[in-house]
Amino acid sequence: MQRSAISNMSAPAAPARDTDSPADTARLLLVSNGAAKPQGHEVENLWVVAVQMFIPFLLAGFGMVAASLLLDVVQHWPVFMQVSEVYILVPALLGLKGNLEMTLASRLSTHAHKGHLETSLVPLVAGNLSLIQCQAVVVAFLAALAAVIMGWVPEGEFDMHHAMLLCASSVLTASVASFVLGCVMIAVILASRKMNINPDNVATPIAASLGDLTTLALLSFIASSLYRSIGVNVWLPGTIIIVGALVVPVCGYVASKNKFTKQVLDEGWSPVISAMIISSVGGLILDYTVSNFKGIAVFQLVINGVGGNMAAVHASRMSTNLHTGNTIGPVIGKTTKLLLLMVVPGHLIFTYTISYLQAGHTSLTATFILIYMCAAITQVLLLLTISHFLVLWMWKLGIDPDNSAIPYLTALGDLLGTALLGLAFQFLYMIGDKDSDLGD
């Protein structure tokens, strides 16, 4: 790839390849640190960026609050109490919004900036919906398998009915949620372009706001329905599994013949499957923490979602700037500061909303707020740092960060959020803050 002279540097318009010279690598690092500003680059107004990010961030947060309130309710349902492995599915399936829908939003945002939505809308939509349907069903199978193994090994007992329930619930939830949310993401991107709004700022938060609530509601309803059918409609979970298995090759074939998704289908499995494994480990931690601290459930999806959401916005903007040849140093530095500034007020709004609704099992004492905020800020700082270096590393290796970065980041958001919140509740318990007077 022919590069311009260092004196006229700008970020490359496509991922760097393994054949890049050391000079190219140095050029990329200089650009990432803001040492170069391309000619004619129109810098976004900082206040406009702040508004465009904060409003969807609040909407996403309230969506996560609603999902957390739902989890606080469904944790008492018979299926969650009798088949505790369902908890392991929760982060893995909710993580699909990062694996698939938020990645789709990032990918389509880049296509929007390149003008492809105006010239190739139908093939873009058909290919991407087929792609995420294929990936969703495969990941759902694997997530169910992981849940069965993680639940079976510690207890030493294998229940075929529970295994079929987990697999069928996972497959049907992932399939329906991915199709619905994929259509919503496409509509959001198109609307953003017509309203002259940068889709990188709004699409991934909206995916997050709808993803958690939609997926958890579907999983709870489907798993509960299948649990009631155990011993009555033995054919039902098997039928769901067979149909899901047939969907994979059909959608995979359509995606493989589409020029916009063929490369993603070939290269996108590693981050999606790796993210599922990471999220499943988070689910194992969630299964343990919920059984010990009932009050943790209502805050879990909020802290997980906020962290993953911020990292996804950060990665999406970096990826678009790299693809379109714009500098990422000063702009992304300001974006990072804006995202960090949103952490404390955002979490205060969300936690006091939970308290106002008298949900959960924990009062919002000053000690609780302090410890909770420490966990939240630590999570976001780690995720934004990882996001920055991960995107640059992928770009240097010739890997498109639009397809690969966000799954890792949202999965790490789930894992870090679950672990840090568990540590926070353990610390509160150790210092004597064992309050459990709300939502009983």
Side-chain angles (χ1 to χ4, degrees):
M1 182 185 301
Q2 184 66 37
R3 307 285 189 179
S4 59
I6 290 183
S7 61
N8 200 22
M9 287 186 296
S10 63
R17 300 299 174 188
D18 293 336
T19 55
D20 283 352
S21 66
D24 292 324
T25 302
R27 172 178 174 274
L28 175 62
L29 293 175
L30 283 170
V31 172
S32 71
N33 290 319
K37 297 182 181 181
Q39 300 293 329
H41 173 49
E42 183 179 351
V43 180
E44 291 179 279
N45 182 283
L46 192 60
W47 287 108
V48 173
V49 174
V51 172
Q52 288 184 3
M53 288 195 301
F54 190 66
I55 293 177
F57 168 72
L58 284 180
L59 293 176
F62 285 122
M64 295 164 200
V65 169
S68 294
L69 296 176
L70 179 59
L71 180 60
D72 190 50
V73 172
V74 301
Q75 69 174 324
H76 304 294
W77 287 12
V79 65
F80 281 85
M81 298 178 70
Q82 300 300 322
V83 190
S84 64
E85 295 89 343
V86 177
Y87 282 116
I88 300 175
L89 286 179
V90 171
L93 291 182
L94 267 59
L96 282 177
K97 74 178 186 298
N99 294 349
L100 304 179
E101 284 80 35
M102 293 172 80
T103 301
L104 171 65
S106 178
R107 193 161 57 241
L108 289 180
S109 294
T110 297
H111 283 299
H113 284 289
K114 290 183 174 182
H116 294 166
L117 294 184
E118 288 77 16
T119 59
S120 307
L121 180 60
V122 174
L124 265 173
V125 169
N128 278 285
L129 287 180
S130 298
L131 172 68
I132 64 173
Q133 189 66 209
C134 176
Q135 290 180 322
V137 175
V138 171
V139 172
F141 274 118
L142 295 176
L145 179 62
V148 170
I149 293 174
M150 289 180 181
W152 172 37
V153 172
E155 297 180 4
E157 297 181 2
F158 179 77
D159 190 316
M160 178 58 72
H161 291 297
H162 288 184
M164 295 287 285
L165 180 149
L166 289 169
C167 190
S169 300
S170 183
V171 167
L172 188 55
T173 297
S175 178
V176 175
S178 293
F179 178 76
V180 172
L181 293 172
C183 291
V184 171
M185 284 303 94
I186 292 167
V188 168
I189 299 291
L190 292 174
S192 298
R193 295 300 291 171
K194 289 186 177 181
M195 298 171 65
N196 199 30
I197 295 174
N198 186 349
D200 281 313
N201 296 336
V202 300
T204 50
I206 291 176
S209 68
L210 297 174
D212 283 349
L213 182 59
T214 302
T215 305
L216 182 60
L218 282 169
L219 175 62
S220 303
F221 174 77
I222 293 170
S224 184
S225 299
L226 291 175
Y227 180 74
R228 290 195 297 268
S229 72
I230 290 179
V232 180
N233 295 325
V234 294
W235 53 268
L236 185 57
T239 301
I240 294 172
I241 294 170
I242 291 171
V243 172
L246 294 175
V247 165
V248 172
V250 174
C251 291
Y253 177 80
V254 174
S256 69
K257 298 300 180 182
N258 188 291
K259 67 177 182 179
F260 294 106
T261 55
K262 185 180 186 302
Q263 182 181 358
V264 186
L265 184 67
D266 294 338
E267 301 176 356
W269 290 107
S270 178
V272 168
I273 294 174
S274 298
M276 182 276 299
I277 295 172
I278 296 170
S279 293
S280 295
V281 175
L284 190 61
I285 299 173
L286 178 62
D287 187 15
Y288 169 78
T289 55
V290 167
S291 64
N292 288 276
F293 306 107
K294 293 299 181 184
I296 205 170
V298 76
F299 298 102
Q300 190 64 70
L301 301 185
V302 174
I303 193 171
N304 288 2
V306 167
N309 181 18
M310 289 185 165
V313 171
H314 185 266
S316 180
R317 288 177 61 86
M318 281 188 68
S319 181
T320 292
N321 282 344
L322 288 169
H323 274 289
T324 54
N326 295 326
T327 184
I328 66 172
V331 176
I332 296 302
K334 293 176 181 178
T335 301
T336 304
K337 293 174 183 176
L338 282 175
L339 291 171
L340 284 172
L341 287 173
M342 294 179 189
V343 176
V344 173
H347 272 295
L348 285 175
I349 291 171
F350 305 144
T351 52
Y352 275 99
T353 300
I354 292 171
S355 176
Y356 178 77
L357 296 173
Q358 293 190 325
H361 306 263
T362 304
S363 294
L364 298 188
T365 63
T367 303
F368 174 84
I369 291 294
L370 177 62
I371 301 302
Y372 178 84
M373 287 302 170
C374 287
I377 293 171
T378 301
Q379 178 212 28
V380 172
L381 276 172
L382 288 172
L383 286 172
L384 291 179
T385 302
I386 294 169
S387 171
H388 182 83
F389 289 104
L390 180 64
V391 170
L392 291 179
W393 177 73
M394 287 182 170
W395 185 266
K396 178 182 175 182
L397 294 181
I399 301 171
D400 189 346
D402 271 329
N403 301 329
S404 303
I406 292 179
Y408 287 113
L409 293 171
T410 54
L412 286 172
D414 291 343
L415 180 59
L416 289 172
T418 303
L420 288 169
L421 191 59
L423 290 173
F425 268 72
Q426 185 66 49
F427 181 76
L428 287 167
Y429 185 84
M430 290 172 60
I431 64 175
D433 192 339
K434 306 174 184 178
D435 185 69
S436 180
D437 65 331
L438 293 182
D440 295 328

